[in-house]
Amino acid sequence: MLGAALTFATAWQWPVLPGVAPDPQGRARCGCPDPECTVPGAHPFDPGLLAATTDERMVRWWWTNRPAAPIVLATGGQAPCAVSLPALAASRALGALDHMGMRLGPVIASPTRWALLVKPYSFEQLGELLYAKDFVPGSLRFHGEGGYLALPPSETGQGQICWERAPLPGSAAPWVPDVEAVVDAVVEALTRPGVSAPEL
């Protein structure tokens, strides 16, 4: 986990921080004080999200003291943002996007949701984009400024976080597409005939 956290923070300049570990009494439960937590082990708590950093010394200290802690990315700013959707719908959408020849960046998968990384965007930009759409599936979630995502190879209460589409090897930060292109293509893929409502 430390090696991965250092790559994100120092090589890619993605601000990270340790997430809450799942409750050892039951992995589906979270180690945070909220008994109804819906993202067990996949969110920041102590320290809070504002502590996310690219500082090597801080990252080393955190994961030396909490070696199994999930790695949480603070989205927005200079870091990537993301568009996420349920795993089954995401799998179908990625197949459709491949068929369309669309270039995608890294895709993060949990057992229940997949997240497509995109370039940073503002709330205003996102609002204008969504306003222009006739229909946007309610299952789409947007991880922008002030948001977060668990990064591979974190283990959370929802299961293992992995790369569905891994970044290309190398030290440079991975390329990611614009949010407009991803949302346009995903909405088109999800509203085609043959995609049933429960998948959306």
Side-chain angles (χ1 to χ4, degrees):
M1 296 300 286
L2 173 59
L6 285 171
T7 295
F8 298 137
T10 62
W12 298 357
Q13 291 296 294
W14 290 3
V16 297
L17 75 164
V20 181
D23 189 329
Q25 302 301 317
R27 294 204 63 79
R29 295 173 52 203
C30 191
C32 76
D34 181 3
E36 304 298 321
C37 181
T38 58
V39 284
H43 67 91
F45 172 64
D46 183 18
L49 186 63
L50 293 179
T53 185
T54 58
D55 181 75
E56 178 180 353
R57 291 171 302 173
M58 194 73 244
V59 170
R60 283 189 183 279
W61 187 84
W62 276 333
W63 273 276
T64 298
N65 287 281
R66 298 165 61 181
I71 303 168
V72 174
L73 167 70
T75 55
Q78 298 302 309
C81 294
V83 177
S84 72
L85 58 162
L88 178 58
S91 175
R92 292 181 183 237
L94 257 61
L97 301 187
D98 287 341
H99 186 70
M100 292 161 53
M102 181 177 174
R103 182 184 179 195
L104 291 173
V107 178
I108 298 168
S110 76
T112 57
R113 293 188 75 82
W114 293 7
L116 289 70
L117 296 186
V118 297
K119 290 179 182 174
Y121 56 78
S122 67
F123 287 120
E124 292 78 13
Q125 182 182 3
L126 180 63
E128 290 173 5
L129 172 63
L130 298 181
Y131 182 76
K133 297 282 177 203
D134 292 330
F135 171 75
V136 176
S139 62
L140 285 185
R141 292 183 192 158
F142 299 92
H143 308 262
E145 188 73 37
Y148 58 86
L149 277 176
L151 294 172
S154 300
E155 179 75 31
T156 73
Q158 297 174 322
Q160 184 76 36
I161 307 296
C162 61
W163 296 112
E164 178 61 32
R165 299 284 173 90
L168 296 175
S171 58
W175 176 87
V176 291
D178 290 323
V179 66
E180 291 92 347
V182 169
V183 171
D184 286 347
V186 166
V187 169
E188 180 183 339
L190 293 181
T191 53
R192 287 180 174 183
V195 178
S196 62
E199 295 171 21
L200 305 182

